[in-house]
Amino acid sequence: MTWNGRPRITVVGVGADGWIGVPDRLRTLVERAPVVLGGHRHLDLLPEVPGQLREAWPSPLREGLPGLLERYAGLDVVALASGDPLVSGIGSTLVDLLGADAVHVEPAVSTVALARARMGWAAEDHDVVSLVGRDPRLLLRALAPGRRVLVLSSDETTPAVVARLLVEHGYAASRISVLGDLGGDETRVDGVADGWEGEVSRLNVIALEVVGQGLASWSPGLPDSAYEHDGQLTKRDLRASALCRLAPVPGQLLWDVGAGAGSVGIEWMRAHPSCRAIGVESDSERAGRIARNAGALGVPDLEVVHGRAPDALTGLPAPDAVFVGGGATRARVVDTCLAALHERGRLVVHGVTLETEQLLVRLHSEHGGELTRIAVEHAEPIGTFTGWAPARAVIQWAYVKEQS
């Protein structure tokens, strides 16, 4: 089990049909391994092998893995996993922890592939969302009328949780199929979100055909009404302008400084499932509101830091983009953000006061970038007529950090 002279962990996928479905080549590999790791269910499937060390995964997993692996340093190790270990499985965790060179994966047919086959869905025609050990509200980002979604369940309670989310967010008529024990003694329960009921297997995948009119857009500039706020909200048109310049990129991190209701960080994360954001807010009530908004809009992993910039920025991971929606004139706030940015990182600062305008004019003169004055007017009733109601003009400075 060495690879280019280096010991490796081999991760073997096991289907719902258990040990009987494992190919002979991999059975021999498992039986000859001095150490086998896995969940209790997987370990219980194995035949007795005298002298073989077997140990279940620690709990919590991520924190306990380094110590577990250290105990077996120098030994060949096999790890057992369900289906394809790289589909929301232990294989992904081990690769993330040890690197791809140290982990060799032997997958079984994934539950995703089996679910597609049972539903007759082409791979390109649906999204896959894993709720295995994750906040169920992550599903909300993927919902849109007419879309199909495969949901990887944590356990037998997940379908009811998903049905409730669908009802609460405007998709009560969505069709649900719960596929249990795929590849084994398969079961299927069909229904709709509104009034969902039925006993399902602990090992299940949920197939959703989304019907309804909930909030669905991934483009910047969601309606202001989508947010709970106290007025401290970057309004829709300004938010869209800022996000176009912040330019969300998969896997990148945004600081939303003076986050208010959290709208910029939330829409940054909605742009792609791997986008990350940290909202920094000094007001405790607003900080709580940011977390509620993030959950309601399908990005519950948005991190909220309760504190005042620039001190609250100390120790945060370096950002790829920063939005300063409030507090730009406070000493060292913009300088700290500029210094923290990665190369080619983007900074957008908004201001409505003369003092902030003076600061942004100076920064534009010193650093370059784009300085824009944005004035937005909305049609509102004037008696029995309609007229334009202007909002406060906003000065926007957008800057891309050059190579040092």
Side-chain angles (χ1 to χ4, degrees):
M1 247 181 300
T2 59
W3 195 270
N4 294 332
R6 295 180 58 192
R8 300 186 59 160
I9 294 178
T10 299
V11 188
V12 175
V14 180
D17 52 354
W19 185 243
I20 193 173
V22 177
D24 290 343
R25 172 180 64 89
L26 295 179
R27 287 197 204 185
T28 301
L29 180 74
V30 174
E31 290 171 349
R32 291 180 178 176
V35 180
V36 179
L37 307 176
H40 291 289
R41 183 176 68 86
H42 293 126
L43 296 177
D44 290 344
L45 296 173
L46 302 182
E48 289 295 326
V49 177
Q52 187 177 68
L53 298 173
R54 297 176 180 176
E55 187 165 350
W57 298 121
S59 181
L61 178 64
R62 176 70 77 155
E63 291 81 352
L65 266 179
L68 173 64
L69 298 175
E70 182 65 27
R71 287 201 294 277
Y72 299 115
L75 296 176
D76 289 335
V77 176
V78 165
L80 302 180
S82 295
D84 184 345
L86 294 176
V87 177
S88 195
I90 189 64
S92 304
T93 304
L94 290 170
V95 168
D96 186 47
L97 187 66
L98 303 174
D101 288 345
V103 182
H104 178 65
V105 178
E106 293 280 359
V109 178
S110 73
T111 54
V112 171
L114 289 169
R116 287 172 181 154
R118 301 302 178 263
M119 298 301 297
W121 293 357
E124 63 272 16
D125 287 346
H126 64 274
D127 296 320
V128 178
V129 177
S130 174
L131 300 184
V132 179
R134 307 184 71 189
D135 192 314
R137 294 173 296 177
L138 287 166
L139 174 63
L140 297 175
R141 181 192 168 276
L143 300 179
R147 290 297 296 166
R148 291 170 168 174
V149 185
L150 286 179
V151 181
L152 306 183
S153 289
S154 269
D155 55 34
E156 68 276 14
T157 68
T158 306
V161 173
V162 166
R164 185 166 61 250
L165 285 172
L166 289 165
V167 171
E168 291 173 351
H169 291 270
Y171 298 107
S174 297
R175 293 181 289 276
I176 300 176
S177 296
V178 180
L179 310 173
D181 297 309
L182 289 167
D185 295 327
E186 298 186 5
T187 61
R188 175 169 175 164
V189 180
D190 296 302
V192 296
D194 192 10
W196 167 263
E197 59 182 24
E199 291 188 13
V200 300
S201 167
R202 181 174 179 80
L203 300 175
N204 70 80
V205 177
I206 307 167
L208 300 178
E209 296 180 88
V210 183
V211 179
Q213 295 298 324
L215 184 66
S217 176
W218 293 346
S219 67
L222 294 178
D224 294 345
S225 59
Y227 295 93
E228 177 190 347
H229 65 91
D230 61 0
Q232 290 298 312
L233 172 74
T234 300
K235 301 301 192 292
R236 182 180 199 172
D237 299 288
L238 298 168
R239 193 184 324 129
S241 176
L243 281 157
C244 286
R245 290 162 174 82
L246 291 166
V249 173
Q252 291 196 347
L253 172 67
L254 170 79
W255 287 358
D256 185 359
V257 180
S263 60
V264 171
I266 288 168
E267 294 189 24
W268 168 278
M269 290 184 68
R270 282 177 63 87
H272 191 272
S274 67
C275 284
R276 298 168 294 133
I278 300 173
V280 180
E281 176 54 54
S282 61
D283 183 278
S284 60
E285 189 171 339
R286 289 175 185 159
R289 190 177 291 123
I290 293 169
R292 292 194 297 274
N293 282 330
L297 291 169
V299 289
D301 292 338
L302 186 150
E303 181 180 349
V304 181
V305 173
H306 177 214
R308 187 179 298 276
D311 293 341
L313 306 177
T314 301
L316 298 183
D320 302 285
V322 178
F323 176 68
V324 181
T329 55
R330 192 175 301 117
R332 299 186 297 110
V333 168
V334 176
D335 289 342
T336 300
C337 293
L338 277 170
L341 270 177
H342 285 303
E343 183 181 301
R344 302 302 298 170
R346 289 83 65 200
L347 172 66
V348 174
V349 185
H350 281 186
V352 296
T353 66
L354 290 174
E355 290 78 8
T356 308
E357 180 173 344
Q358 291 169 352
L359 170 66
L360 298 185
V361 169
R362 176 175 64 78
L363 289 168
H364 178 258
S365 176
E366 293 175 356
H367 299 279
E370 179 185 9
L371 192 64
T372 308
R373 189 169 187 264
I374 305 172
V376 178
E377 300 183 9
H378 293 282
E380 293 185 1
I382 302 178
T384 58
F385 296 91
T386 304
W388 294 108
R392 290 183 184 275
V394 171
I395 307 300
Q396 180 188 78
W397 179 52
Y399 172 73
V400 179
K401 188 173 184 178
E402 298 178 356
Q403 184 175 353
S404 57

